[in-house]
Amino acid sequence: GYTYLMQLVGHDLVDAVVGYEVDDDELVSIQDGARRRKLCLETLYGAGPEEQPHAYAIDEVDLFQFGAAPRIALRLGPHAGPAPAGGRYCPMRDIARAAPGAAHCLDPGLTSAAHRRLLTEAMLADPRNDAHALLSQFVVLFQLFHNDVVEALRGPAIDDRALRRDIAYRVYHCARGLVTDVYREVLIADALPRLLDPRVMKRYAERRLPLFQEGAAAPAEFAHGVFRFGHAMVRDSYFINSGAVQETRVAMQLSSAARPASLPLDDQWFVDWARFFDMPGGRAANRSMPIGPHYAAALWDETAIPPLDSDTDVAGLADRDLLASAYAGLLSVRTLHAQLRSAFGEDVSPDWQVWRDAIAAWLEADNATASGGRLLSRIDVERIAYDPPLAFFTLFEAGVGAGEDKADGRRLGPLASFVMAETIFGAIAHFPIGFEREAGLGARIRARVATMLGAAPHAAAARRAIEPLADAAPNSMPELLDYLRRRGAFRNAGG
């Protein structure tokens, strides 16, 4: 499950928009960062209901009031019936999707009626969150969480239009900040300790401040190098909500952009999250793959990820990751390694020559077992060992190791952990969400609601309604899932 939590985190940190600018009468390709505030769940909320209303549900109370109040709940697909037996953590819902209809087709006269009904539109602020079925299902969890908080804070309808509008904005921004606070706590207290080297994690957990990272931008070393590690965690198949095996290759094709005719998702793809996280009374059936220099067969699929060039390129996500890492102008691994040892001491990672020898030996061993002769010349081996792509080194450090520091793929190595922690704690420090002065998540929840809804007529009722969340103060995915179950988010679930 943390594989897909971290994919959402990646989208929340980086959103590169491809464009062009004119330089001396030449068109030059550029990439702009469209993410204004990082780790603030912009990937879920976008710029809000006024900028991206398609991602927000229409409120029945205001449906015929001509926009008297903004949309404040996130749009979701309908319930699809009861979950399989025992599926206590299965929402049985898809994200909201829409068909273009004849009026919105490029050439309505030539478009068949069947094509007009295809669910080509993912009603999300960030359409990347519909990249595949497992990610869109994960997004459903946070949409449900937001809507549950909104319901707790909303209060009764008010006749005064201006007051109703003001309260709706207060409820929306209060809920958004509250959900973002929980999300950050889950990331810091649950996900990162599982993924980062304990020595690196200890320093950042204690201070929550970066050593080097200044400014708002996520470093390219994170986006095009280290963070590609999540692709190695992907399995070839999953038990989605039963004992039936579902192939990742198929899940990757289930999106509004790729296969709208196969949507909405059917019962076999509604995820029971108890199979992806260690919930009380059981252990997850879908462990991620260990982090290392390997990719699941599904990520080599030419149908999903074709070669960029039929003559010189190969299919698959590994190729894309290595190309991005090699050509994005990143700091060299040797430079990052020196920064790591300077910050944490020379005993945190072997001397660079030890890494160089280990990489060369590993590549030569792979050459020796290759069918059809050597894959790499000895000069290529030396070049890669001297200056490895960061995406490759991240996987090698985690899954192979060097010298006496052998690795088993259970977490990232020190260098990759260092880049990850700098990026994530840098973003958290640079983009505060308010109420950080309060000690503990529960206290921050109470302070946020008391401050932001203090002027509302139903403020006292809202404070009482939010108490179960403040008491629970969920800071792990299992705790958040269990809170949602107790709140009835999985009310159609069996077992």
Side-chain angles (χ1 to χ4, degrees):
Y2 297 95
T3 308
Y4 302 104
L5 169 61
M6 296 312 291
Q7 188 171 5
L8 187 74
V9 169
H11 290 177
D12 205 24
L13 281 162
V14 180
D15 186 6
V17 178
V18 177
Y20 291 90
E21 61 183 21
V22 177
D23 182 12
D24 195 22
D25 295 335
E26 293 287 334
L27 282 178
V28 180
S29 177
I30 59 169
Q31 285 195 346
D32 289 334
R35 189 62 68 228
R36 297 178 306 121
R37 291 178 54 80
K38 294 170 176 58
L39 292 183
C40 294
L41 279 180
E42 276 191 6
T43 191
L44 185 69
Y45 295 111
E50 292 191 332
E51 290 283 339
Q52 291 163 306
H54 68 277
Y56 291 83
I58 298 171
D59 190 331
E60 291 185 15
V61 174
D62 288 296
L63 185 59
F64 301 106
Q65 299 294 325
F66 307 105
R71 306 175 184 187
I72 61 176
L74 290 165
R75 196 188 297 257
L76 272 160
H79 283 288
R88 301 178 68 200
Y89 299 91
C90 187
M92 292 297 289
R93 300 183 83 159
D94 193 5
I95 61 170
R97 305 179 189 274
H104 301 284
C105 292
L106 198 58
D107 190 345
L110 297 178
T111 305
S112 72
H115 286 167
R116 296 173 198 159
R117 292 194 295 270
L118 295 180
L119 297 178
T120 58
E121 314 304 307
M123 310 302 279
L124 298 172
D126 186 344
R128 296 177 301 163
N129 291 331
D130 184 36
H132 54 81
L134 293 168
L135 179 58
S136 61
Q137 280 287 282
F138 192 84
V139 169
V140 166
L141 290 176
F142 277 88
Q143 290 176 319
L144 286 170
F145 183 31
H146 170 84
N147 289 355
D148 179 75
V149 174
V150 164
E151 196 59 34
L153 299 178
R154 186 191 299 268
I158 299 172
D159 291 335
D160 186 320
R161 278 193 174 192
L163 182 58
R164 184 160 76 243
R165 186 175 180 81
D166 176 67
I167 291 173
Y169 275 118
R170 288 174 177 271
V171 167
Y172 168 73
H173 286 288
C174 185
R176 180 171 177 166
L178 192 155
V179 170
T180 303
D181 203 351
V182 172
Y183 156 76
R184 285 186 170 189
E185 279 298 305
V186 168
L187 180 59
I188 293 171
D190 187 22
L192 292 184
R194 296 172 182 272
L195 291 169
L196 302 191
D197 178 277
R199 296 165 292 182
V200 175
M201 183 64 205
K202 182 175 185 293
R203 185 269 173 207
Y204 288 94
E206 289 174 350
R207 303 183 195 179
R208 295 200 177 190
L209 291 171
L211 288 164
F212 298 104
Q213 174 66 6
E214 296 180 1
E221 289 74 24
F222 169 86
H224 297 296
V226 167
F227 206 65
R228 306 297 176 108
F229 80 90
H231 296 152
M233 296 168 65
V234 175
R235 296 166 59 98
D236 262 321
S237 62
Y238 293 90
F239 300 102
I240 298 297
N241 58 38
S242 70
V245 175
Q246 306 295 344
E247 294 186 21
T248 305
R249 175 185 58 82
V250 178
M252 289 177 60
Q253 299 171 7
L254 294 175
S255 71
S256 285
R259 288 179 61 177
S262 301
L263 298 170
L265 296 178
D266 60 27
D267 291 4
Q268 65 183 333
W269 289 106
F270 291 123
V271 173
D272 176 7
W273 290 105
R275 295 177 177 271
F276 286 74
F277 295 99
D278 286 334
M279 303 306 301
R283 292 180 65 79
N286 297 303
R287 299 283 166 188
S288 71
M289 296 298 292
I291 305 167
H294 56 75
Y295 282 68
L299 302 185
W300 294 93
D301 186 2
E302 185 168 351
T303 304
I305 309 164
L308 296 172
D309 182 300
S310 58
D311 295 327
T312 60
D313 197 30
V314 297
L317 203 51
D319 177 70
R320 299 285 178 90
D321 288 349
L322 289 171
L323 283 175
S325 188
Y327 289 100
L330 312 184
L331 290 174
S332 71
V333 174
R334 299 188 314 282
T335 299
L336 292 169
H337 183 260
Q339 288 184 349
L340 169 73
R341 286 164 66 91
S342 172
F344 286 89
E346 295 187 354
D347 60 342
V348 74
S349 182
D351 181 79
W352 179 248
Q353 185 61 47
V354 178
W355 281 111
R356 185 173 173 178
D357 293 342
I359 293 170
W362 186 82
L363 290 171
E364 283 292 2
D366 198 43
N367 268 329
T369 59
S371 60
R374 293 180 64 88
L375 295 172
L376 297 169
S377 70
R378 287 185 171 82
I379 293 176
D380 285 335
V381 168
E382 282 302 314
R383 285 173 171 167
I384 295 171
Y386 178 75
D387 187 19
L390 181 54
F392 163 71
F393 183 82
T394 296
L395 302 183
F396 187 88
E397 182 189 35
V400 181
E404 297 180 358
D405 292 345
K406 298 302 180 184
D408 60 7
R410 292 180 65 86
R411 56 175 54 88
L412 294 168
L415 185 143
S417 297
F418 173 51
V419 175
M420 280 275 291
E422 279 290 295
T423 303
I424 289 174
F425 286 95
I428 289 172
H430 195 84
F431 297 105
I433 57 174
F435 304 94
E436 281 88 357
R437 66 186 180 277
E438 303 290 342
L441 179 58
R444 294 199 299 273
I445 290 171
R446 293 183 178 97
R448 187 181 301 276
V449 174
T451 301
M452 298 185 73
L453 295 183
H458 71 292
R463 290 196 298 271
R464 289 192 299 272
I466 211 65
E467 271 301 305
L469 180 60
D471 287 341
N475 65 1
S476 72
M477 281 306 302
E479 288 181 4
L480 178 57
L481 287 165
D482 207 48
Y483 172 79
L484 289 173
R485 180 190 62 80
R486 287 185 277 110
R487 292 287 295 173
F490 311 124
R491 57 182 173 270
N492 287 334

